[in-house]
Each structure stands twice: as structure tokens, then as C-alpha cells.
Amino acid sequence: MAMSQPTNRAVEVEDNARERVETNGDPNVPQSAQRQPSQDQSNFSDGSGPLFNMYVERAEKEDKDLADRWQKDADGILIFTGLFSAAVAALGAVSIQDLRPNPQNTTAFYVGQIYQLLADPNISRASILSTPAQPPPFSPPTYAIWVNSLWFLSLVIGLTCALLATLLQQWARRYITVTHLPRYSPHNRARIRAFFADGVERLHLPGAVETLPTLLHLSLFLFFFGLLIFLFNINHTAFRVVAWWIGLSGGLYGCITLMPIFCHDSPYYAPLSSTAWFLYNGILYGVVDFWYICYSLISSYRYFSPTTRYRILNLFRTYRNRTLWGIVETAQETARKSSTKIDEHILKWIFDSLDEDREMEQFCEGIPGFCSSRVVNEPKDVLTKLDVMALNSVFRGFLGRTCSSSLLSEREKERRIILCMKAVDVLDLPFPSFGVFVPTSNEEDMDKVFQFVQMGHSLRSRCCSSDDKTSFPAQSMVARIVASVPERDDRWKALVKAHLTISDDVLQDYLAHGDSVLLANLIYFIRQLFRFYYLNIGSASSPTATLLWK
């Protein structure tokens, strides 16, 4: 005791001295603060914090999704394994009786021997004692050995899968626990997560998780094989019925396994699909490479036509990339190459799912940007695949609900109408589609549509079109907007001057004489109406059409 006290005192003095050195001997720093690690605190305000925070946020979300998938896979395996193992164990308890001697057979043998002795009086007692009868040695049937071997191997594999699934749940929980540490600074959290994530990839944990369904399917196949052998030696009718169903299920399973190879967008997948993928593409890659090398050695490369060389190189790259990329990356690359067709499907799906005015507003707002996109091939051609009549109906309903709504302000109504106008203008819908601007048969709702000046300005590009079937409906609508707008502000005046092609002095003169603007607007509309009739409906040689035009 006397020696331990000086030793403890020396250790305490040494620790205090080390703390004073680490804090530069600052007496103003509290002792409790000196003992706390200051590195984490200082790094919270470090310049690298934003990047580490970005990594941590994205990595934690990815880890949670991954762990959730593992948990669900493990739950499914445990449920299936429990039911399957119970069925295998029940049948195994019956079949195992065929592997050991049956006491009833021994009893029957000795009873038979006694009966023979009693039935034959010529047999002497001495001969019976000299040659005692023994039952034949027991030998289990061959089918019983195979059945029990397959069934119990299936049971063991299934229980192994259950054990591994339980461990997988523990691994997932432990991974989340050791990598998500909110009390640590961002840089430490990022480093810890990256450290364990590297271990997950290096030790191939995702691949080990993928092997669990493979083992489970192997267990099921072994059970089916044993069942067929068992039924074949019991009853041929039952064997044929079960064999027919197992054959059908096996063929379907094979199709599911091979379908991702030939149909890259297939949702069907089996645990052996990846193996089949690598075998198929790897073999074809080796065959193309070997054939190309042999042909090059036999004949000169110049004997290849350009088309043949292109096909060979294309096949070489295709099978090489598929072998290296795998199923998922190859499917993603296929989706990127066929982007036009997929974009059409995306737009059609969005259009068919429009249920609310908010969604319709977003759709209209996104059309101009979509048409000017540089990542979409021929965006206008993609949009033209939509049903024009369906577009008319959707636009008509949207405008009708917008104009008749008592919950929207006038500014919001005008904004929605402008969005709709821009969408229709970008889509370049033909003449019948201008019916969308007559949303309902209600005259009051129709008047509300034509009381927005900005709508007229949006139609000006249509008015200048060289196609009369496009320009005349737009000019008619602008004429009605000019006559229906209640407030004659600067925007209305600018629309009138552009529509009637008049100067500012002429417009002021019209305004000084009451309804002269409306009269000029009516005269302009009538002239355009006659012109449209003359050029599109009437005949140029018709006297009536000529008179109307003049």
C-alpha cells in the first residue's frame, strides 16, 4: 500500500502535465474543457464541413434503403424457410423409417419359422438346434437412400438459409449502428461510413446476400427431385401428376431465369439470372473473339469488307460490354439508347395521369422547356404523339375551371391562361385545337376567358402565321379580347395597335370619338372573315366570293 500511493501520484502528475502541454499551458481554460477533445468541435466549423455533410446525407439515405431491402429479403426468406422446413421434416419423418430394420419384419420371420416346424412333423429337434434360423441381413432400398439423402440435404440447406437470414438482419442493424453516429463531427462520420462501406464492398457482402435466394431455390429443387423418386416407387399415377406439374414449373422457372438475357426491360428475375447472363455473353464473346482471330490468321484483314468489319467489331464490343456491365447496367444503357420511344411513353403516362389543376398547371409550364431541351431527341415530334383531341379536352376543362373558379385571384387566373397559351403555341396545334379556348357552352365563362389582355398578346404569334387556318382563328380571338377587356390600360392599347396595325395617333383619335375602336375592330374582323371565306371556303371564280371580298 505504501508503494502504490506514490505510483498513483506520479501517474496523476504526469497526466496533468500532458494536459497542460496540449492546452499550451493556458490557465484560463477550464479543466473540464481541457479534457474534452477539441478536434471534433473545431471541425464543425471547418471549411470542409459542407462537402462532408453532403456525403453523409446521401450515404446515410443510401445505407438506410440498402438495410431496409436486406431486412425485407431476410424476412421473406425466414417465412418461406419456416413453412418449407416443416413440410420437409414431416415427410422425412415418414421416409426415414425405410433406412432402418423394421421389428415387425423380424417378428414375422420367426413366426413363419415356428409355423413350419409345427406343420412338418418329420423335422427332428436335433436338426433344429444344429442349424438355428436367422433373419436375412437388412439392406435399405436404393430409392429410400436417395429420397432421404435429398430431403434431409434440402432441410439442412433451408435451415442454413434461415440462419444466414437471421445473421443478415443483425449485420444490417450493426452496419447502420456503427456508421450513423450523429454525435460525431461531419468529417468523422464520413470517414467512419466510408471505412465500413469499403469493407462491405471488399468482402462482397451484397453478393453474399444474393446467394441466399439461390440456396433456398436449390433446397426446393432437391426436395422436388426426392419427391419424384419417392412417388415413382409408391404409385405411378401420383408420380405422373406431380411430375407434370414440376416439369411445368421448372420450364417456367427456366424462362424467368433466361428472360433478362433476351428482354432487357423484363421485370422477371431469378437468382441464377446473373450467372446465366455471364455464361451466355461470355461464351458468345469468346466465340466472336476466337472466330475473328482465326479468320485473321487464315486470310488477310483486307479481305474483310467494311460492313463485315463493322459487324464483327460491333458484336465484339456488344458482348464484351454486356459481360463487364452485367444485367442492370446493360438495361440502363439500352434505355438511354432508345430514349425517344421511352420519352413518348413518359409523356403519355404523365398526360393520362393528370387529375388536378395543379398538375395540369405544371404540365403546361413544362411544355416550352421540354420543346427547347437539348437532351431529348426531336422533342416536338415526341409531343405530337399525344392525342390532339385528348389535349383539347384537357385544356378546355382546365381553362373552364380556372375562369369559373371563385377561389383564384384574377392574377392567378391570368397566369394560368398564359401558361396554357404558351403550351398550345409551342405544341403548334392545328385549327380545330383552338376550340380549347371555348371551355364550356356557358356564355358567362366564355366571356371571362376573353377578358385577359395577356392572352391576346400570346396569340399575336399565331396571327402572323402564313397559314390562314391558323391565323384567322387567332385574329378572331384577339378581336373578341379587344372588345371584351373592361380596363383599357397600356397593355390593351398595345394590343389594339398591333392587332389593327395602326399608329398611336390613330388610336388616340379613335378613343376620342367614343366607340370608334370597337367599330374599327369589327370592320377588321369582317374583312378577315371574308378573306378567309374567299381563300378557303368559296371559289376564286365564284361571283359571290369575289363580291364579298371586294
Side-chain angles (χ1 to χ4, degrees), residues 222-233:
L222 292 175
F223 171 76
F224 282 159
F225 291 149
L227 182 63
L228 290 176
I229 297 174
F230 180 77
L231 292 177
F232 181 79
N233 292 272

Side-chain angles (χ1 to χ4, degrees), residues 277-421:
W277 172 275
F278 285 112
L279 288 176
Y280 175 80
N281 290 284
I283 291 174
L284 290 180
Y285 170 67
V287 169
V288 172
D289 190 22
F290 179 77
W291 176 80
Y292 176 75
I293 293 175
C294 292
Y295 198 86
S296 299
L297 294 175
I298 295 174
S299 61
S300 178
Y301 184 78
R302 64 177 179 271
Y303 291 113
F304 282 118
S305 65
T307 305
T308 304
R309 287 197 298 268
Y310 174 77
R311 290 179 178 177
I312 293 175
L313 293 177
N314 188 37
L315 288 174
F316 181 82
R317 295 192 187 99
T318 298
Y319 292 121
R320 180 195 61 187
N321 293 336
R322 289 183 180 180
T323 304
L324 296 176
W325 291 345
I327 296 178
V328 177
E329 292 188 13
T330 303
Q332 293 173 352
E333 183 65 22
T334 304
R336 285 191 289 266
K337 289 182 178 179
S338 57
S339 59
T340 302
K341 184 178 180 180
I342 296 177
D343 292 341
E344 294 175 7
H345 174 75
I346 292 172
L347 281 181
K348 187 177 183 304
W349 186 90
I350 293 175
F351 182 73
D352 293 338
S353 63
L354 294 176
D355 294 330
E356 300 178 359
D357 289 345
R358 178 182 57 82
E359 297 174 351
M360 184 62 191
E361 183 179 344
Q362 293 178 351
F363 180 74
C364 294
E365 188 175 4
I367 286 178
F370 182 85
C371 290
S372 60
S373 174
R374 291 179 294 180
V375 299
V376 180
N377 296 325
E378 302 296 336
K380 288 191 176 182
D381 293 342
V382 174
L383 285 169
T384 54
K385 300 295 183 180
L386 298 176
D387 188 2
V388 176
M389 298 304 296
L391 283 171
N392 288 346
S393 177
V394 171
F395 283 138
R396 183 181 297 110
F398 177 64
L399 286 176
R401 292 187 299 271
T402 298
C403 295
S404 61
S405 175
S406 59
L407 302 177
L408 298 176
S409 63
E410 294 299 321
R411 186 178 184 86
E412 182 66 19
K413 290 180 180 180
E414 183 176 0
R415 191 181 69 84
R416 285 191 173 185
I417 291 176
I418 293 172
L419 288 176
C420 192
M421 289 293 307

Side-chain angles (χ1 to χ4, degrees), residues 79-382:
I79 293 173
F80 179 82
T81 304
L83 299 175
F84 177 68
S85 299
V88 176
L91 291 175
V94 177
S95 64
I96 199 173
Q97 304 296 331
D98 298 332
L99 295 180
R100 56 187 180 184
N102 192 347
Q104 294 181 357
N105 295 334
T106 304
T107 303
F109 173 79
Y110 284 115
V111 169
Q113 293 295 323
I114 294 172
Y115 175 77
Q116 290 180 2
L117 292 175
L118 295 177
D120 190 0
N122 297 323
I123 299 178
S124 63
R125 183 179 298 272
S127 62
I128 295 175
L129 295 175
S130 61
T131 58
Q134 295 291 335
F138 173 76
S139 178
T142 304
Y143 86 91
I145 297 175
W146 277 102
V147 168
N148 284 274
S149 299
L150 292 174
W151 279 359
F152 281 98
L153 179 60
S154 173
L155 179 62
V156 171
I157 294 176
L159 294 177
T160 304
C161 288
L163 175 62
L164 293 177
T166 304
L167 291 175
L168 175 60
Q169 291 180 332
Q170 296 178 352
W171 297 338
R173 289 193 296 268
R174 179 179 180 272
Y175 180 74
I176 294 298
T177 301
V178 300
T179 56
H180 295 184
L181 303 170
R183 68 180 184 274
Y184 281 15
S185 62
H187 76 284
N188 279 334
R189 290 167 62 188
R191 290 169 181 170
I192 293 173
R193 190 269 170 187
F195 176 76
F196 282 99
D198 180 68
V200 168
E201 295 295 332
R202 181 170 51 84
L203 299 177
H204 306 287
L205 180 57
V209 174
E210 293 295 330
T211 59
L212 291 182
T214 304
L215 292 177
L216 196 60
H217 292 191
L218 176 62
S219 174
L220 186 62
F221 293 151
L222 292 175
F223 171 76
F224 282 159
F225 291 149
L227 182 63
L228 290 176
I229 297 174
F230 180 77
L231 292 177
F232 181 79
N233 292 272
I234 299 298
N235 186 281
H236 285 186
T237 302
F239 167 77
R240 284 192 293 268
V241 172
V242 175
W244 177 84
W245 178 255
I246 291 178
L248 181 63
S249 302
L252 180 62
Y253 185 86
C255 292
I256 293 174
T257 302
L258 299 178
M259 193 172 293
I261 299 177
F262 307 102
C263 185
H264 295 167
D265 60 344
S266 170
Y268 303 106
Y269 180 84
L272 296 177
S273 295
S274 297
T275 303
W277 172 275
F278 285 112
L279 288 176
Y280 175 80
N281 290 284
I283 291 174
L284 290 180
Y285 170 67
V287 169
V288 172
D289 190 22
F290 179 77
W291 176 80
Y292 176 75
I293 293 175
C294 292
Y295 198 86
S296 299
L297 294 175
I298 295 174
S299 61
S300 178
Y301 184 78
R302 64 177 179 271
Y303 291 113
F304 282 118
S305 65
T307 305
T308 304
R309 287 197 298 268
Y310 174 77
R311 290 179 178 177
I312 293 175
L313 293 177
N314 188 37
L315 288 174
F316 181 82
R317 295 192 187 99
T318 298
Y319 292 121
R320 180 195 61 187
N321 293 336
R322 289 183 180 180
T323 304
L324 296 176
W325 291 345
I327 296 178
V328 177
E329 292 188 13
T330 303
Q332 293 173 352
E333 183 65 22
T334 304
R336 285 191 289 266
K337 289 182 178 179
S338 57
S339 59
T340 302
K341 184 178 180 180
I342 296 177
D343 292 341
E344 294 175 7
H345 174 75
I346 292 172
L347 281 181
K348 187 177 183 304
W349 186 90
I350 293 175
F351 182 73
D352 293 338
S353 63
L354 294 176
D355 294 330
E356 300 178 359
D357 289 345
R358 178 182 57 82
E359 297 174 351
M360 184 62 191
E361 183 179 344
Q362 293 178 351
F363 180 74
C364 294
E365 188 175 4
I367 286 178
F370 182 85
C371 290
S372 60
S373 174
R374 291 179 294 180
V375 299
V376 180
N377 296 325
E378 302 296 336
K380 288 191 176 182
D381 293 342
V382 174

Side-chain angles (χ1 to χ4, degrees), residues 459-480:
L459 285 170
R460 285 301 304 158
S461 60
R462 292 273 183 163
C463 296
C464 300
S465 175
S466 59
D467 185 7
D468 291 330
K469 294 183 179 180
T470 300
S471 62
F472 174 69
Q475 292 169 356
S476 303
M477 294 170 63
V478 173
R480 180 159 185 178

